[in-house]
Amino acid sequence: MQRIHVVGGGLAGLTAAITAAESRVPVTLHEAHHTLGGRARTSDGRYLTNEGPHALYRRGPHRTWLQQRGLLGPLASVPPLEGARFLFHRGGTLRRTPPLGMLRLARRGPAPVDADFLSWAGGQVGEAAARAAAHYMGVALFHHDPGSLSAAFVQERLRRATALPPEARYPVGGWAQLIERMAARAWDLGVRIRTGTRVGPRELAGLRRGGPVVVATQLDSARTLLEDPTLTWDSGRTALLDLALRTRRGDPFVVSDLDAPGWIERFTAQDPTLAPPGEQLVQAQIPLAPDTPRADAVRRAEGMLDLGFPGWRERTTWRREALASGRTGAVDKPGTTWRDRPAVDRGDGILLAGDQVAAPGLLSEVSFNSGIEAAVLAMKLLGTTAPTATPTA
């Protein structure tokens, strides 16, 4: 009997493998790294960090899917007291409230696809509030200029990122806990999981002879593996600064930069297990233009830390810097939607999954939706009835 091969053991790959295996289709998952997870890996050691802010949104499709399978696990939400420690960086100072126009904009309905966000939003609430809203969305877009993107794309994310009560929920102990539960589910369903096995174009041809192949890697890696130069789509570029600080009462929960895209969050506010007792884990993410050095973003982050976290340098017990380029999900320019991204079905038994392909959703929801869609199409190629199709809204 033919089997489905999944290349890539991140969220998209595990979702595809589980979906196919639940229909009793033989599945093998190939992961080049020695551990599963992709960008959902959580660092080892005393400080549990992810590659950027990772959250499950309350209305997201994968939350229900995970919950139905007993994979969701405990989730942390922001305590009300911490929510009151949300600060905004405007005009070089920290404030407790954003511009009123930004709040009004967040409650507006859908925006046009063909217009850029800054132009459309400026016509709704004025340029200053529109620019502040665009910069605020750096938290969910990881892009240096959210105002230049499709108004429909940014506005949908602005509404979800500012919803009350907040939509974001955080897997306790980091995303690695979620990945472990998904991997265990895959094992229980009979999925063969092979880590430390890198698949190249020659190996891919061999796998294809045995059945459909779901390529669930970063888009850059998929382009090389499939030798297909058309597999391109815009993404963000952002600097990450992780810090462990000795605890100080009164530190903010979030500092959102409204002068330029940037975000600092104290993740132990909602999940104290991420750092040892007496310490707190803080992450800054500062989107960067293509040619801007990482050091410029780090200096910006340090300036906001000076304002919001007094004495943070003396309190630092651990520090890590990183750059995420093309690893932060798809962004849609004016005139494009998710339907214009690289298609899941590549023909000849090759399916594509990940966060830069043609599937709806916010951030990791794209990986989830495309993973299910790829598995459904792969099962159809084998003549197996698929249980459900991917949501299209």
Side-chain angles (χ1 to χ4, degrees):
M1 183 178 182
Q2 286 190 307
R3 72 173 44 240
I4 294 173
H5 290 273
V6 179
V7 180
L11 181 63
L14 283 167
T15 300
I18 291 170
T19 301
E22 286 179 340
S23 294
R24 300 185 182 278
V25 175
V27 180
T28 299
L29 186 148
H30 308 261
E31 167 56 46
H33 198 271
H34 68 280
T35 59
L36 300 173
R39 274 165 282 168
R41 292 188 187 95
T42 301
S43 62
D44 296 327
R46 302 174 65 201
Y47 308 105
L48 305 180
T49 63
N50 298 310
E51 188 174 324
H54 280 47
L56 285 165
Y57 280 74
R58 182 167 44 88
R59 290 189 294 155
H62 50 348
R63 175 168 175 162
T64 300
W65 187 88
L66 292 164
Q67 195 167 30
Q68 289 172 344
R69 290 156 178 79
L71 304 178
L72 192 58
L75 296 177
S77 57
V78 179
L81 179 60
E82 295 292 355
R85 293 173 177 162
F86 198 126
L87 302 179
F88 300 90
H89 180 239
R90 293 175 58 206
T93 62
L94 296 184
R95 311 177 186 212
R96 294 192 176 277
T97 58
L100 181 60
M102 175 179 147
L103 297 177
R104 292 203 311 267
L105 183 65
R107 306 279 79 84
R108 296 289 167 90
V113 170
D114 294 336
D116 68 86
F117 178 77
L118 188 59
S119 298
W120 171 80
Q124 301 289 313
V125 296
E127 183 178 351
R131 196 171 296 279
H135 293 162
Y136 177 84
M137 286 313 298
V139 64
L141 301 178
F142 304 91
H143 191 272
H144 68 285
D145 188 12
S148 69
L149 303 176
S150 165
F153 175 81
V154 179
Q155 177 66 5
E156 178 190 7
R157 284 146 183 78
L158 177 64
R159 293 179 67 187
R160 293 189 66 186
T162 57
L164 292 174
E167 285 197 36
R169 299 292 185 271
Y170 307 84
V172 173
W175 273 58
Q177 302 297 317
L178 174 62
I179 292 300
E180 287 181 9
R181 289 189 290 270
M182 293 182 73
R185 171 72 172 172
W187 274 113
D188 290 343
L189 291 168
V191 176
R192 297 178 184 173
I193 298 179
R194 297 176 176 172
T195 58
T197 57
R198 185 172 297 278
V199 174
R202 181 179 299 178
E203 291 81 9
L204 179 68
L207 297 179
R208 176 62 193 90
R209 287 191 289 270
V213 178
V214 176
V215 177
T217 66
Q218 292 182 76
L219 197 59
D220 286 350
S221 299
R223 182 169 60 249
T224 299
L225 177 61
L226 299 179
E227 299 177 317
D228 183 352
T230 69
L231 293 181
T232 61
W233 198 260
D234 287 336
S235 184
R237 178 174 180 263
T238 192
L240 302 173
L241 173 61
D242 293 302
L243 297 171
L245 307 179
R246 285 189 290 275
T247 299
R248 170 190 171 274
R249 293 187 64 183
D251 279 343
F253 164 51
V254 164
V255 178
S256 172
D257 194 353
L258 302 186
D259 291 340
W263 186 270
I264 298 176
E265 184 167 348
R266 181 165 51 90
F267 279 92
T268 40
Q270 59 266 29
D271 184 3
T273 70
L274 301 179
E279 297 183 63
Q280 51 194 14
L281 192 64
V282 175
Q283 183 177 81
Q285 67 100 347
I286 309 293
L288 288 170
D291 298 325
T292 303
R294 184 178 73 184
D296 289 5
V298 172
R299 280 193 291 271
R300 269 189 57 207
E302 291 177 341
M304 287 196 293
L305 287 163
D306 288 337
L307 291 173
F309 293 79
W312 69 270
R313 287 179 173 83
E314 293 74 24
R315 293 192 283 137
T316 298
T317 57
W318 175 80
R319 175 173 176 146
R320 185 181 69 174
E321 297 177 17
L323 180 67
S325 183
R327 298 169 58 84
T328 54
V331 295
D332 297 341
K333 291 182 176 179
T336 65
T337 71
W338 63 264
R339 293 178 174 85
D340 300 301
R341 301 173 197 157
V344 172
D345 190 349
R346 309 307 302 174
D348 197 29
I350 300 293
L351 296 314
L352 199 63
D355 61 6
Q356 287 182 263
V357 303
L362 171 65
L363 298 172
S364 61
E365 296 169 7
V366 180
S367 294
F368 167 80
N369 281 333
S370 62
I372 289 185
E373 177 71 9
V376 168
L377 292 173
M379 287 186 285
K380 287 181 178 178
L381 289 173
L382 293 182
T384 301
T385 302
T388 58
T390 303
T392 58

